[in-house]
Amino acid sequence: GDSVTQMEGPVTLSEEAFLTINCTYTATGYPSLFWYVQYPGEGLQLLLKATKADDKGSNKGFEATYRKETTSFHLEKGSVQVSDSAVYFCALSDQGNNRLAFGKGNQVVVIP
Amino acid sequence: GAVVSQHPSWVICKSGTSVKIECRSLDFQATTMFWYRQFPKQSLMLMATSNEGSKATYEQGVEKDKFLINHASLTLSTLTVTSAHPEDSSFYICSARVRGWYGYTFGSGTRLTVV
């Protein structure tokens, strides 16, 4: 079935550092890809999405490009802030099955 | 737009009692809603999918008699945890698929603690 793999472990970095969180996927169809962010004690908020190959999603300085050839959707931000500390989930949705498949999530901690 | 209001945000109940969690779509019609459970520092586990006016579809391993889902209208879905036990303590999140837009919006979650 469809699945999403995120890099293992939390990510700790200093303010203004460059952030990359890797995400790869397995899908039988042509999925849409998403990044969600979860702040402590809250639900998920959509950060960005891409619906077809080579699309780039962007929001709040974050970017991710839908790479069909490498089945990846890595999240990047050039200069993180303390307020970016949260858990980030990569997800995919195949139009055929009408549901989201989530990666395990990555805790990002930004130190002042 | 596309806001889902979930409440309560947290609840503490005694073992053996039932708890109802509500999710309302405020500015759109939610034909499909999803209920997730999240354990500390883990990803979301899909429990069930509910479609307005029909029975919910439960994921394998989820007890449908314990986790009752009702989606009686296009703006309201409820999850009732019946005869709750401490192992049911978790963070429950609802999500709605927005009609006419290929996307999903999430409620703010409910922290359930059973004592």
Side-chain angles (χ1 to χ4, degrees), chain A residues 32 34 36 38 41-44 46 49 89 93-95 98-100 102-105, chain B residues 32 34 36 38 42-44 46 49 59 91 93 97 101-104 106-109:
Chain A
S32 290
F34 307 85
Y36 285 89
Q38 184 179 33
E42 298 185 12
L44 273 66
L46 178 65
K49 68 174 182 175
F89 292 95
S93 176
D94 190 306
Q95 292 191 25
N98 195 36
R99 61 179 62 180
L100 284 173
F102 286 93
K104 291 186 176 181
Chain B
T32 303
F34 305 88
Y36 295 87
Q38 186 181 30
Q42 295 191 26
S43 190
L44 282 72
L46 180 65
T49 302
E59 295 299 301
F91 193 58
I93 306 175
R97 176 147 181 204
W101 173 70
Y102 192 71
Y104 303 80
F106 287 79
S108 56

Side-chain angles (χ1 to χ4, degrees), chain A residues 7-13 18-22 85-86 106-110:
Chain A
M7 52 193 280
E8 291 288 333
V11 178
T12 303
L13 58 169
F18 185 88
L19 170 68
T20 298
I21 305 177
N22 289 341
S85 298
N106 286 103
Q107 173 82 53
V108 172
V109 177
V110 180

